[in-house]
Amino acid sequence: MLEGLAIPSRKFSCAVRTMIETLEPKDVSIFEAAINNLDWRPKTLSRALRDRGLIISDDSIARHRKGQCSCSKA
């Protein structure tokens, strides 16, 4: 009856992917370029985006860059 009982893996959404889904097409490429540009420190990028009305944490940016978000498991 209890065969295969295991702790379910938790699936978290990626804030970067979620943000991309809300942007207009012209902004997606700019956002992706900034996310992939390692010259942008996560905290600096987070603040610059917040100044433009986009709220995303520096931790979310860092996790995405390190492949520690659900994007890498998709």
Side-chain angles (χ1 to χ4, degrees), residues 3-49:
E3 296 86 11
L5 180 66
I7 298 173
S9 61
R10 295 178 66 185
K11 182 127 183 170
F12 297 98
S13 61
C14 174
V16 172
R17 185 178 62 235
T18 301
M19 181 72 64
I20 288 171
E21 292 170 356
T22 67
L23 295 173
E24 294 181 24
K26 63 181 180 154
D27 292 329
V28 169
S29 60
I30 297 168
F31 179 75
E32 287 177 333
I35 290 293
N36 293 321
N37 183 344
L38 299 181
D39 290 335
W40 275 104
R41 291 180 51 233
K43 187 167 274 313
T44 305
L45 180 54
S46 174
R47 287 179 181 162
L49 292 168

Side-chain angles (χ1 to χ4, degrees), residues 60-74:
S60 294
I61 294 168
R63 272 194 305 273
H64 181 80
R65 285 180 173 174
K66 293 176 188 173
Q68 296 174 336
C69 63
S70 61
C71 291
S72 64
K73 296 170 182 73

